[in-house]
Amino acid sequence: MSDRNSAPLLIEMRNISKAFGPVQALRNINLTLAPGEILGLVGDNSAGKSTLMKVMTGAYQRDSGEVLVDGRETHFKSPHESREGGIEMIYQDFALCGNMDIAQNIFLGRWPRKGLFVDRKRMYAEADEVLKRLKVDVNSVFQKVESLSGGRQQSVAIARAISFNPRVVVLDEPTANLSVMATERLLETMAELKRHGVAQIIISHRLTDIFEVGDRIMVMKRGQNVGDRYIAHTDEAEVLELIVSGTPETALTADQALAARAA
């Protein structure tokens, strides 16, 4: 058994429920994530995927259930707290400042300082280092973000998340508006993050992308688990069937996930 297979789960969400007034968005959802694992989270537009991730990151507060990180129960009150816990979420709109350059966006709000002044030399050097680590090809870290393609902007958003040294990165529809070439580059970046031991959750409607880089896929429907499969043991047809007509089932428990990884 390898060290990775014997490692404890990084994230475990147990019986998570969340309602917005009369609308029950999540019903007793379970989710597990191992270190370095890439999990695809799929379902139709009302499945509750983004809601579940916002509960994980503290943007929403759960009504019931538990969130465990490294086996310890946590209760993040904001995305800032989840960031301190090693969890980053990259939203579909990237949340970048177009009139600022790449380095300024990567270090936005936490620019390195030298006394009372911003240490620009260090900021640009560290930004360049992060981009090289991810093998992101840009002309210059001095380039304005608004001049970048959608794929390059996505890479900057990922670089900003990685600069916090997260252990988990959540990507919300990361390839939705990208060209074929940009999508290929992004999938390569995800594979590079995996090689660095960063676990990832990909919310996506594009099953092909998940099957290319993912380890496991979890299907949600109307706020419930309807399927949890390892990529090696399923195919797109089965996942599509679960999305369309799946019935609630229990997602992998911690013990089942660990046993499957050790097999």
Side-chain angles (χ1 to χ4, degrees):
M1 184 184 299
S2 70
D3 289 340
R4 182 180 167 196
N5 284 340
S6 60
L9 289 171
L10 181 53
I11 301 289
E12 186 180 3
M13 304 181 79
R14 299 175 177 170
N15 299 316
I16 301 296
S17 293
K18 176 66 180 176
F20 298 96
V23 178
Q24 191 70 40
L26 300 173
R27 300 173 185 270
N28 298 317
I29 285 280
N30 297 316
L31 178 148
T32 61
L33 185 69
E37 182 179 35
I38 298 181
L39 171 67
L41 190 57
V42 302
D44 58 30
N45 289 332
S46 60
K49 306 181 297 295
S50 294
T51 299
L52 182 63
M53 292 299 94
K54 288 177 179 178
V55 168
M56 176 189 289
T57 59
Y60 292 157
Q61 300 305 302
R62 60 189 182 268
D63 296 333
S64 61
E66 299 176 302
V67 178
L68 286 76
V69 179
D70 291 327
R72 297 185 296 273
E73 185 174 4
T74 63
H75 206 130
F76 299 127
K77 296 182 175 62
S78 70
H80 177 73
E81 288 190 4
S82 68
R83 173 176 289 161
E84 291 180 342
I87 302 172
E88 281 283 338
M89 183 164 179
I90 302 171
Y91 294 95
Q92 197 170 354
D93 63 1
F94 307 153
L96 299 172
C97 295
N99 63 333
M100 293 184 176
D101 64 35
I102 292 173
Q104 289 170 329
N105 269 277
I106 290 175
F107 288 96
L108 187 64
R110 55 191 179 93
W111 295 328
R113 294 190 171 274
K114 194 172 186 178
L116 298 175
F117 302 98
V118 175
D119 189 342
R120 296 177 65 84
K121 182 178 180 180
R122 176 184 163 194
M123 179 176 71
Y124 287 102
E126 290 186 1
D128 187 59
E129 185 179 330
V130 171
L131 293 172
K132 285 179 178 176
R133 173 184 169 189
L134 294 176
K135 299 182 179 178
V136 174
D137 180 26
V138 295
N139 292 331
S140 167
V141 289
F142 297 94
Q143 191 173 355
K144 289 287 197 305
V145 163
E146 62 191 3
S147 70
L148 301 174
S149 67
R152 295 279 193 257
Q153 290 189 24
Q154 175 73 278
S155 295
V156 172
I158 293 173
R160 181 178 60 192
I162 291 305
S163 70
F164 286 95
N165 293 315
R167 294 189 296 158
V168 179
V169 174
V170 180
L171 301 103
D172 191 358
E173 296 292 352
T175 62
N177 299 309
L178 301 186
S179 67
V180 173
M181 185 176 294
T183 295
E184 289 176 356
R185 282 198 300 265
L186 178 59
L187 296 178
E188 289 171 1
T189 299
M190 291 178 184
E192 187 67 20
L193 289 177
K194 181 182 176 70
R195 283 191 285 273
H196 284 278
V198 179
Q200 298 160 77
I201 299 176
I202 310 169
I203 302 172
S204 182
H205 288 90
R206 295 173 63 162
L207 296 182
T208 302
D209 297 340
I210 293 173
F211 271 78
E212 182 168 338
V213 298
D215 298 298
R216 187 161 55 90
I217 191 163
M218 175 174 149
V219 185
M220 293 178 62
K221 189 177 183 68
R222 299 194 184 110
Q224 299 179 83
N225 294 105
V226 296
D228 199 324
R229 305 284 189 272
Y230 279 88
I231 295 294
H233 302 151
T234 189
D235 55 30
E236 291 189 32
E238 182 187 17
V239 173
L240 283 170
E241 178 64 23
L242 288 168
I243 292 172
V244 173
S245 58
T247 56
E249 63 178 49
T250 302
L252 294 180
T253 65
D255 289 342
Q256 288 170 333
L258 289 169
R261 287 162 54 213

